[in-house]
């Protein structure tokens, strides 16, 4: 009888598809304890304190994952309305934000790259030209990703949909197998090189990663205006990101060398796959033309008075009208709608925390502490940027990190008199550079680790070493470059 009872309870547990009880309990407890056990400052309103408690629960849930990110964000948003902490209009105001819709449309562009095969074709061309040696192969893959990043804002989609499949094909053809002693022949190096290089590719273009656009929006909510966003972002990132990108495969080749140094068969394999793909199709040409038009409009948008989101909408309309994408493609792009949900919730809550005075209160408190130490703004800048970077060990998502801490750390730097554009952009670039610290630090890190080529101790060792190297390169290159650009 007891066996039947045990079997029944096990089956019931297996069927449970709702929220994970323990993470829910922890996340809710954090918010409740903060709301009722932590004394509220006299000059902070009840609604502001309550919203901060809900926000802490939201962030805890993003880290602990009791539900998928979008679902948890929606539940927490519902709580803000249910408790009358926010009105319905205030809670959903961020969903009309231009930046959020730009992200959604960019995901649809990504779908077009995958559907037409253009992303694979571009990557294979680089392998064909540069892939005779293992190091050349790494450069070919890294540069291939750099080329497509402006149009494919999902780092996870680039990793899982384009580059990991190509890397696995190359590695297996060289008898380098996942979860095997042969992994270090080729696959482990290529995986690490691509993961670390992707950080700089994502930092190079505003539309290369969803978190970039979130950073800009949150900066604007704190009064930091970024004129001609796409160009301003690219100008500031171009030199440090490109130099760091070029250095990364070479440095890893020395730190984490592959056993196979030459890959004479890789160009032939790429050539064979390109031949199987056939000539560039009509839809690929349409995709290329549409992206060139869209990027040109992003660059010239300020001069002609066209917002980035309008340019993206025009590009998507062209793809729909010419049949490269159909509406079912857009509807089935789950990552776009999931991002739309949690992104809107995080932006909405963060904006309301600023409006209700929480972020200025935290920022002023930290600024006074730094002032009491008689620190100038350069020292405050270094300390706060470093703290923002390395606290990412506690996060399993770059966007969750931004939603939780970007506004607070930017506010602290503004209060410490750090030049506003310098503080905002440096935090945003750091958000990309810490994406390979661990196997859980970003979507692409999880994808590449899941490929089975790199052991966990190597992930952590290379993660911290490459993070420090990236920080050093950016510090040495960006310091004079940003001075020339007038960021400080």
């Amino acid at each position: 009888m007891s066996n039947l009872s045990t079997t029944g309870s096990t089956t019931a547990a297996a069927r449970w598809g709702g929220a994970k009880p323990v993470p829910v309990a922890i996340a809710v407890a954090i918010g409740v304890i903060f709301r009722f056990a932590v004394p509220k400052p006299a000059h902070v309103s009840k609604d502001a304190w309550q919203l901060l408690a809900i926000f802490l629960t939201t962030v805890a849930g993003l880290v602990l994952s009791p539900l998928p990110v979008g679902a948890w964000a929606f539940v927490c948003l519902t709580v803000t309305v249910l408790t009358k902490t926010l009105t319905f209009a205030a809670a959903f105001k961020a969903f009309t934000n231009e930046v959020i819709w730009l992200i959604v449309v960019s995901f649809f562009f990504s779908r077009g790259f995958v559907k037409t095969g253009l992303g694979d074709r571009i990557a294979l061309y680089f392998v064909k030209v540069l892939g005779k040696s293992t190091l050349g192969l790494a450069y070919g893959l890294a540069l291939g990703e750099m080329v497509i990043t402006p149009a494919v804002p999902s780092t996870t989609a680039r990793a899982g949909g384009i580059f990991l499949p190509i890397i696995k094909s190359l590695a297996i053809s060289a008898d380098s197998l996942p979860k095997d002693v042969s992994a270090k022949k080729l696959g482990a190096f290529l995986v690490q090189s691509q993961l670390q290089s992707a950080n700089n590719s994502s930092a190079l273009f505003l539309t290369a990663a969803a978190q970039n656009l979130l950073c800009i929006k949150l900066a604007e909510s704190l009064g930091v205006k970024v004129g001609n966003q796409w160009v301003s972002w690219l100008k500031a990132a171009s030199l440090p990101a490109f130099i760091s990108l070029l250095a990364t495969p070479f440095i890893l080749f020395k730190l984490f060398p592959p056993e196979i140094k030459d890959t004479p068969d890789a160009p032939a394999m790429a050539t064979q796959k390109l031949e199987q793909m056939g000539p560039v199709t009509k839809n690929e040409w349409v995709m290329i033309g549409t992206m060139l038009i869209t990027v040109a409009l992003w660059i010239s948008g300020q001069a002609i008075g066209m917002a980035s989101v309008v340019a993206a909408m025009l590009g998507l309309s062209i793809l729909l009208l010419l049949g490269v994408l159909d509406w079912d493609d857009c509807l089935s792009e789950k990552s776009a709608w999931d991002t739309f949900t949690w992104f809107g919730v995080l932006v909405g809550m963060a904006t309301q925390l600023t409006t209700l005075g929480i972020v200025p209160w935290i920022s002023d408190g930290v600024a006074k502490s730094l002032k009491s130490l008689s620190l100038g703004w350069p020292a405050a800048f270094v300390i706060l940027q470093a703290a923002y970077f390395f606290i990412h060990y506690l996060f399993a998502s770059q966007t969750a990190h931004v939603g939780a801490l970007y506004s607070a750390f930017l506010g602290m730097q503004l209060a410490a008199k750090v030049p506003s554009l310098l503080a905002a952009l440096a935090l945003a670039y750091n958000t990309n550079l810490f994406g390979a610290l661990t196997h859980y630090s970003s979507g692409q890190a999880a994808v590449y680790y899941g490929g089975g080529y790199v052991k966990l101790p190597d992930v952590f060792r290379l993660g911290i070493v490459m993070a420090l190297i990236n920080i050093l390169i950016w510090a040495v290159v960006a310091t004079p470059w940003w001075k020339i650009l007038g960021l400080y």
Side-chain angles (χ1 to χ4, degrees):
M1 195 71 172
S2 61
N3 287 340
L4 288 173
S5 175
T6 303
T7 303
S9 61
T10 303
T11 304
R15 286 180 189 154
W16 176 248
K20 300 171 187 172
V22 174
V24 167
I26 295 172
V28 172
I30 289 171
V32 170
I33 291 170
F34 180 86
R35 172 65 180 86
F36 296 104
V38 178
K40 179 180 74 67
H43 59 282
V44 174
S45 69
K46 175 188 171 184
D47 284 344
W49 200 246
Q50 192 154 287
L51 180 60
L52 180 56
I54 296 172
F55 183 71
L56 292 174
T57 291
T58 305
V59 172
L62 295 180
V63 175
L64 298 172
S65 300
L67 283 171
V69 174
W72 182 251
F74 184 81
V75 169
C76 293
L77 184 67
T78 302
V79 173
T80 65
V81 179
L82 193 64
T83 57
K84 298 185 179 178
T85 306
L86 295 176
T87 64
F88 184 88
F92 282 85
K93 185 178 181 181
F95 287 91
T96 62
N97 183 272
E98 290 184 2
V99 173
I100 293 174
W101 282 102
L102 176 59
I103 292 170
V104 172
V105 175
S106 296
F107 271 104
F108 298 154
F109 278 125
S110 174
R111 180 84 169 198
F113 263 75
V114 174
K115 182 179 179 180
T116 62
L118 182 59
D120 287 340
R121 188 183 294 276
I122 291 171
L124 288 169
Y125 272 128
F126 277 97
V127 172
K128 178 181 177 180
V129 174
L130 299 173
K132 291 183 179 179
S133 69
T134 301
L135 186 57
L137 196 56
Y139 274 109
L141 291 166
L143 293 173
E145 180 162 9
M146 184 194 74
V147 169
I148 68 171
T149 49
V152 187
S154 171
T155 52
T156 307
R158 295 198 302 266
I162 298 174
F163 290 97
L164 183 59
I166 292 174
I167 288 171
K168 290 184 81 170
S169 295
L170 292 166
I172 291 171
S173 69
D175 294 322
S176 178
L177 305 177
K179 298 180 181 179
D180 187 80
V181 292
S182 63
K184 285 195 172 183
K185 279 186 177 181
L186 181 63
F189 165 73
L190 290 180
V191 163
Q192 269 300 307
S193 174
Q194 197 66 18
L195 171 60
Q196 298 292 343
S197 298
N199 295 336
N200 288 290
S201 296
S202 297
L204 188 56
F205 299 101
L206 176 62
T207 50
Q211 64 265 14
N212 297 349
L213 295 154
L214 177 56
C215 289
I216 292 298
K217 178 56 191 171
L218 293 176
E220 287 186 338
S221 73
L222 289 177
V224 181
K225 300 301 179 186
V226 185
N228 202 351
Q229 296 173 353
W230 207 87
V231 175
S232 297
W233 179 287
L234 177 61
K235 281 169 60 179
S238 56
L239 202 58
F242 191 64
I243 289 176
S244 191
L245 176 66
L246 290 180
T248 295
F250 179 78
I251 292 170
L252 276 167
F253 193 75
K254 298 297 183 181
L255 292 177
F256 193 56
E259 294 173 3
I260 297 175
K261 301 297 191 291
D262 297 308
T263 52
D265 296 333
M269 191 199 78
T271 301
Q272 182 182 11
K273 288 194 174 183
L274 286 168
E275 287 174 355
Q276 290 172 356
M277 293 178 74
V280 179
T281 64
K282 176 182 76 72
N283 282 350
E284 286 178 274
W285 282 118
V286 173
M287 193 75 216
I288 292 169
T290 302
M291 282 314 308
L292 289 175
I293 291 170
T294 305
V295 171
L297 290 174
W298 281 338
I299 294 171
S300 61
Q302 190 174 38
I304 64 176
M306 180 180 288
S308 296
V309 68
V310 177
M313 290 169 64
L314 175 62
L316 176 60
S317 297
I318 292 171
L319 296 179
L320 289 169
L321 288 169
L322 297 182
V324 176
L325 292 174
D326 56 45
W327 192 237
D328 282 340
D329 290 323
C330 297
L331 292 176
S332 60
E333 189 63 29
K334 293 181 180 179
S335 57
W337 301 114
D338 184 49
T339 302
F340 174 76
T341 302
W342 61 255
F343 201 99
V345 172
L346 286 179
V347 171
M349 285 190 183
T351 301
Q352 289 299 319
L353 285 172
T354 301
T355 302
L356 294 173
I358 290 292
V359 173
W361 167 67
I362 295 172
S363 304
D364 290 343
V366 174
K368 288 175 182 175
S369 299
L370 292 173
K371 190 174 182 180
S372 68
L373 297 174
S374 300
L375 295 177
W377 74 256
F381 173 78
V382 171
I383 291 170
L384 290 170
Q385 292 284 342
Y388 177 82
F389 191 102
F390 289 106
I391 204 172
H392 190 64
Y393 276 106
L394 302 177
F395 285 87
S397 163
Q398 289 164 292
T399 42
H401 186 136
V402 172
L405 298 178
Y406 182 89
S407 294
F409 272 80
L410 178 56
M412 293 176 208
Q413 290 180 75
L414 296 179
K417 307 302 181 185
V418 178
S420 59
L421 194 56
L422 172 67
L425 289 178
L427 284 173
Y429 296 142
N430 271 331
T431 301
N432 291 288
L433 298 181
F434 58 48
L437 270 177
T438 69
H439 63 303
Y440 59 81
S441 57
S442 63
Q444 69 269 27
V447 168
Y448 283 124
Y449 176 69
Y453 277 97
V454 185
K455 294 180 179 179
L456 203 53
D458 289 328
V459 172
F460 277 88
R461 177 177 63 86
L462 293 170
I464 184 61
V465 170
M466 289 306 300
L468 293 172
I469 290 171
N470 267 315
I471 290 171
L472 178 62
I473 293 173
W474 274 72
V476 170
V477 177
T479 299
W481 179 238
W482 290 350
K483 182 68 173 178
I484 291 169
L485 294 178
L487 294 187
Y488 67 97

